Amino acid sequence: MQDNKGIPELGRHLWVIYLLSVILLSVIWYYQWMIGLLMTLFLAAAIYYSIQTVRRLQNETEEYISTLSHRVKRVGEEALLEMPIGILLYNEDYSIEWANPYMNRFAEEDTLVGSSLNRLADDLVSRVKENDDEIWFEIDGYQFQTTIKKDERLLYLFDRTKQSEIQTLYHNEQTVLAIIFLDNYEEITQNMDDTLKSQLNSKVTSVLNNWSNDYGIYLKRTSQDRFLAVTTKETLDKLEKSKFDILDQVRGLNAEQNIPVTLSIGVGVGNTTLPTLGELAQSSLDLALGRGGDQVTIKDDTGKVRFYGGRTNPMEKRTRVRARVISHALKELVKASDNVIIMGHKAPDMDSLGAAIGILNIARINGVEGYVVFDPDDVDTGVFRLVESLKEDEELWEDFIDPEESEALITSRSLVVVVDTHKPSMVANERLLNKSEYKVVIDHHRRAEEFIDNPTLVYMEPYASSTAELVTELLEYQPKNLKLKMLEATALLAGIIVDTKSFTLRTGSRTFDAASYLRSKGADTVLVQQFMKEDLDIYIKRSKLIERAEVYRDSLAISKGKPDEVYDGVLIAQAADTLLTMSGINASFVISERSDDRIGISARSLGEVNVQIIMEKMNGGGHLTNAATQIEDTTIDDAEALLKDILEEYFEGGETE
């Protein structure tokens, strides 16, 4: 393409040459007029030729520019009308004023002109009004990426259907690894003869093979109680829609063959390498087993976790061998530490305090100083009488320190023991977790996604009645000269009694063994009842809260506290417990305002409804029969509406996350 700026530039250069030539001719004429005459004639001819050449070039350039402008205009018109890109102009009322032929293909009549933008997509007008410069929507199966020019009221629509199909294909074909574990295979087969064991293996393998064939999953048995499964993200989506019905199928073998076997599945998914997927799958399986088994845990490469199943009570399968091993390991850690810092959860209950006192005794019997982190300003009414009794024992009470004091005592070689919780956000002083290399977690709750980083020793048994029960068993394997004070043994027994509702819920044979051991150490059941007594005004307040209960879905009791009235966490938990004793009630939920401006929900069930799953949906947690949550920035009515939505999903969807 020629440069039209070159012609004037060439002319300017020629006139400079002519001027210099005239000056030179003047000098020649002065000295040699004959030569000057010849040179003048030559210069005149050159000037004439140059002018003609410049005019010719200028005419050619103007003609070229005129032709090019016509071509550009023609190409622009053809692009506007013929290119496979949608172009729409709309008015202030978001009605289409003009559409190129490409977009008119999507009109029911001949043109889109005069139609609302919502003709293309139901919510297109509202989305165009937003501040986004780009939106995606679908028209007749086509995926469009739309660029918005609000000042010109102009839309450019680019067909991205093929791109969307490729993205969908990429999503569907991502590799997914899963590890399948038979929760209690070792326990149920240890007394079986070879024939029965073979029948069990055959039955379980048959169920899993049929399931894998139905969904197109590659399944390989890697050991007696473990399988490896390889599938795709598309198949995983189908499994999630089915709520992993394989859990029900294997659990159903108990009814058919009297074989109490359940599955736990850990799944790793994401856009990452195969070794990382394997690590995610193993981590997911550990989390599922830590929550009691009989469930599926899915973890992706972003760390997001989803749960399915877990609707049955975990079977008690711990042995005294494990308790002895944990007790011995804890003893060695205590002996190797500078001191032992013990802490439970915020607003400690009977179980948390009792377990902390038990660990304090383990530190003492091994000759190491121990301290219990306790905030006197964070005490619920349910433990007030126990705390007052502890204060009367000066020797015991001097080992209770406030959170600030604990930071002055801790060293890098201190042993931090966390009891009755495993969530960093719930401990009495979270900063302590980062000040020591050695941490022990002892808890009876099902494991949640949030967990203390890099613990040295973990003793989590979700089938146990209470943390006090676990600590009592650990005490049994400490040195024989261990002596518990009556108050210390009573505090441990109180933790068991409160968490089991006086041995009526989550109670196994080991629970009674632990209680028997504590009684032999002087635990006073009458004193436990003294600790559990309540004031008359609290009883009346709880009764009024129960009076406000309504029955939902025939067997669920939901009670709401009065707006702007603060209720103690223990009080709403007791109200939920009381509602559960009513005829026809399988689960209860009590909602109220808390002193920290959050909305608290306490949930209880008899086992048919997994309240842990329901509370986890509301960022809470707990046990299958005992759970709770606290919600920020909401109202009682909104919390109730959210709870009912989750309950509807729970019952309508069968197995839930």
Side-chain angles (χ1 to χ4, degrees):
M1 178 177 177
Q2 298 183 27
D3 187 358
N4 62 337
K5 293 182 180 180
I7 304 302
E9 190 70 23
L10 177 62
R12 284 194 294 271
H13 291 163
L14 288 174
W15 282 114
V16 170
I17 294 172
Y18 295 157
L19 180 60
L20 293 175
S21 299
V22 170
I23 295 173
L24 180 62
L25 281 173
S26 299
V27 175
I28 295 174
W29 271 88
Y30 182 77
Y31 291 102
Q32 295 287 336
W33 66 269
M34 290 294 293
I35 297 175
L37 177 62
L38 291 173
M39 293 298 294
T40 300
L41 293 174
F42 177 76
L43 178 61
I47 291 173
Y48 175 79
Y49 177 77
S50 299
I51 292 173
Q52 292 300 318
T53 300
V54 169
R55 285 178 177 175
R56 180 172 54 80
L57 289 173
Q58 188 172 3
N59 290 335
E60 290 177 356
T61 301
E62 289 177 354
E63 182 181 355
Y64 175 79
I65 292 173
S66 175
T67 303
L68 181 62
S69 298
H70 173 71
R71 291 176 62 197
V72 169
K73 182 178 180 181
R74 181 178 177 184
V75 169
E77 291 175 351
E78 289 183 355
L80 190 66
L81 299 175
E82 303 297 335
M83 281 186 66
I85 297 175
I87 304 175
L88 293 176
L89 291 173
Y90 60 91
N91 59 23
E92 295 177 351
D93 297 326
Y94 297 95
S95 294
I96 299 172
E97 289 187 320
W98 180 85
N100 67 342
Y102 179 82
M103 287 309 300
N104 282 326
R105 296 186 309 155
F106 299 97
E108 294 180 1
E109 293 81 19
D110 293 334
T111 180
L112 290 171
V113 176
S115 303
S116 169
L117 289 178
N118 283 341
R119 173 86 168 274
L120 300 175
D122 292 338
D123 59 345
L124 185 55
V125 171
S126 61
R127 297 179 68 183
V128 169
K129 289 180 179 179
E130 296 174 357
N131 294 324
D132 297 334
D133 294 328
E134 180 183 290
I135 58 176
W136 287 67
F137 64 91
E138 182 178 330
I139 307 176
D140 295 341
Y142 289 85
Q143 292 287 338
F144 282 98
Q145 175 190 2
T146 304
T147 301
I148 306 172
K149 302 291 184 181
K150 290 189 176 181
D151 293 339
E152 294 83 11
R153 294 198 291 273
L154 171 66
L155 299 181
Y156 292 109
L157 294 90
F158 302 93
D159 185 0
R160 295 290 186 258
T161 306
K162 290 295 183 183
Q163 176 183 333
S164 179
E165 290 175 352
I166 293 173
Q167 288 176 338
T168 301
L169 180 63
Y170 174 75
H171 173 273
N172 289 341
E173 294 301 317
Q174 283 186 1
T175 301
V176 175
L177 292 183
I179 300 174
I180 303 173
F181 182 76
L182 299 179
D183 293 332
N184 45 356
Y185 179 85
E186 184 178 347
E187 287 76 14
I188 64 178
T189 59
Q190 61 184 355
N191 295 321
M192 283 185 177
D193 58 33
D194 292 341
T195 302
L196 290 176
K197 188 181 295 187
S198 177
Q199 291 176 355
L200 170 62
N201 288 331
S202 175
K203 194 67 178 179
V204 171
T205 303
S206 175
V207 171
L208 287 173
N209 282 338
N210 291 337
W211 171 73
S212 63
N213 290 333
D214 290 342
Y215 286 97
I217 300 170
Y218 173 77
L219 187 69
K220 177 67 175 178
R221 190 166 197 160
T222 59
S223 65
Q224 290 294 325
D225 56 1
R226 194 176 294 255
F227 296 79
L228 175 66
V230 183
T231 185
T232 63
K233 186 64 171 63
E234 182 179 18
T235 301
L236 179 62
D237 292 340
K238 294 178 181 178
L239 292 172
E240 291 193 66
K241 289 181 180 179
S242 73
K243 305 298 181 182
F244 283 89
D245 54 1
I246 185 62
L247 298 176
D248 294 328
Q249 295 178 36
V250 173
R251 197 184 309 116
L253 294 176
N254 186 23
E256 297 176 7
Q257 305 291 329
N258 196 27
I259 303 172
V261 64
T262 57
L263 286 182
S264 288
I265 304 177
V267 180
V269 61
N271 181 23
T272 185
T273 62
L274 288 175
T276 302
L277 287 179
E279 293 173 1
L280 289 173
Q282 184 60 56
S283 174
S284 298
L285 179 62
D286 293 341
L287 184 54
L289 295 174
R291 289 164 55 86
D294 189 26
Q295 58 193 280
V296 179
T297 302
I298 303 171
K299 183 180 289 188
D300 61 28
D301 54 343
T302 66
K304 184 179 179 182
V305 180
R306 303 188 295 278
F307 300 104
Y308 293 87
R311 303 188 66 176
T312 61
N313 250 329
M315 292 181 61
E316 180 175 336
K317 54 179 180 289
R318 81 180 187 275
T319 65
R320 288 196 173 272
V321 174
R322 175 163 168 75
R324 186 177 69 250
V325 170
I326 294 293
S327 183
H328 178 75
L330 180 59
K331 179 176 68 174
E332 295 303 317
L333 287 171
V334 168
K335 287 182 175 181
S337 62
D338 291 340
N339 53 33
V340 180
I341 308 294
I342 310 151
M343 57 180 173
H345 51 75
K346 297 172 183 175
D349 54 13
M350 290 284 194
D351 189 30
S352 178
L353 280 178
I357 292 172
I359 299 298
L360 181 62
N361 274 271
I362 292 178
R364 286 175 176 173
I365 196 62
N366 289 288
V368 178
E369 292 183 347
Y371 304 94
V372 177
V373 181
F374 179 79
D375 186 353
D377 298 324
D378 188 25
V379 180
D380 283 333
T381 56
V383 296
F384 177 77
R385 288 181 175 81
L386 172 58
V387 172
E388 291 301 309
S389 295
L390 293 174
K391 290 180 179 179
E392 294 176 3
D393 187 331
E394 295 182 1
E395 183 182 359
L396 178 58
W397 185 248
E398 68 180 8
D399 291 330
F400 280 71
I401 57 176
D402 59 45
E404 290 73 18
E405 188 179 355
S406 66
E407 295 186 38
L409 292 172
I410 193 169
T411 70
S412 61
R413 292 188 58 82
S414 292
L415 178 64
V416 177
V417 182
V418 177
V419 295
D420 204 31
T421 185
H422 56 269
K423 297 182 179 180
S425 61
M426 292 186 65
V427 299
N429 187 349
E430 186 174 352
R431 294 188 296 272
L432 296 181
L433 298 175
N434 300 319
K435 293 181 178 292
S436 176
E437 299 177 11
Y438 307 101
K439 290 164 284 191
V440 174
V441 178
I442 303 174
D443 191 16
H444 73 118
H445 295 102
R446 291 193 182 199
R447 181 168 173 169
E449 182 179 350
E450 182 187 2
F451 198 80
I452 292 172
D453 290 335
N454 302 318
T456 309
L457 180 66
V458 177
Y459 189 31
M460 288 186 63
E461 306 292 357
Y463 47 79
S465 70
S466 58
T467 308
E469 177 187 333
L470 296 175
V471 171
T472 299
E473 289 195 343
L474 298 181
L475 285 168
E476 295 184 52
Y477 294 102
Q478 292 299 308
K480 298 300 182 182
N481 58 342
L482 172 67
K483 293 182 180 179
L484 287 176
K485 293 182 179 180
M486 182 274 292
L487 180 59
E488 295 169 340
T490 302
L492 281 161
L493 182 60
I496 296 175
I497 290 176
V498 169
D499 271 26
T500 60
K501 305 299 180 289
S502 298
F503 300 102
T504 59
L505 294 175
R506 299 192 308 277
T507 305
S509 61
R510 306 296 291 275
T511 309
F512 291 101
D513 290 343
S516 176
Y517 172 80
L518 293 173
R519 282 287 288 157
S520 70
K521 293 294 182 179
D524 188 346
T525 55
V526 176
L527 185 56
V528 172
Q529 297 303 315
Q530 293 289 338
F531 291 157
M532 296 171 61
K533 279 190 174 182
E534 59 185 342
D535 296 331
L536 180 60
D537 57 342
I538 294 178
Y539 180 85
I540 294 173
K541 189 174 184 179
R542 185 175 72 242
S543 299
K544 290 182 178 179
L545 186 58
I546 294 171
E547 187 180 9
R548 296 172 59 85
E550 297 179 353
V551 177
Y552 181 69
R553 290 186 67 96
D554 299 329
S555 62
L556 309 178
I558 300 178
S559 176
K560 296 189 300 181
K562 294 180 180 179
D564 301 323
E565 184 171 352
V566 175
Y567 293 82
D568 184 86
V570 174
L571 189 146
I572 66 171
Q574 291 172 341
D577 288 331
T578 304
L579 285 171
L580 198 59
T581 65
M582 304 300 168
S583 176
I585 300 299
N586 292 328
S588 60
F589 303 87
V590 180
I591 311 169
S592 76
E593 293 187 9
R594 292 167 48 93
S595 57
D596 56 6
D597 296 328
R598 293 188 292 179
I599 300 299
I601 303 179
S602 189
R604 300 290 186 270
S605 83
L606 295 175
E608 295 181 13
V609 179
N610 190 333
V611 293
Q612 177 204 7
I613 290 177
I614 295 168
M615 291 296 99
E616 283 181 339
K617 292 270 191 180
M618 305 177 78
N619 297 320
H623 272 286
L624 181 145
T625 59
N626 183 336
T629 189
Q630 295 87 43
I631 311 174
E632 297 180 349
D633 302 323
T634 189
T635 64
I636 291 179
D637 290 337
D638 289 342
E640 180 191 27
L642 176 61
L643 173 63
K644 288 183 176 179
D645 289 342
I646 293 172
L647 288 172
E648 288 299 321
E649 179 184 354
Y650 179 89
F651 286 103
E652 296 299 329
E655 292 283 352
T656 60
E657 295 182 25

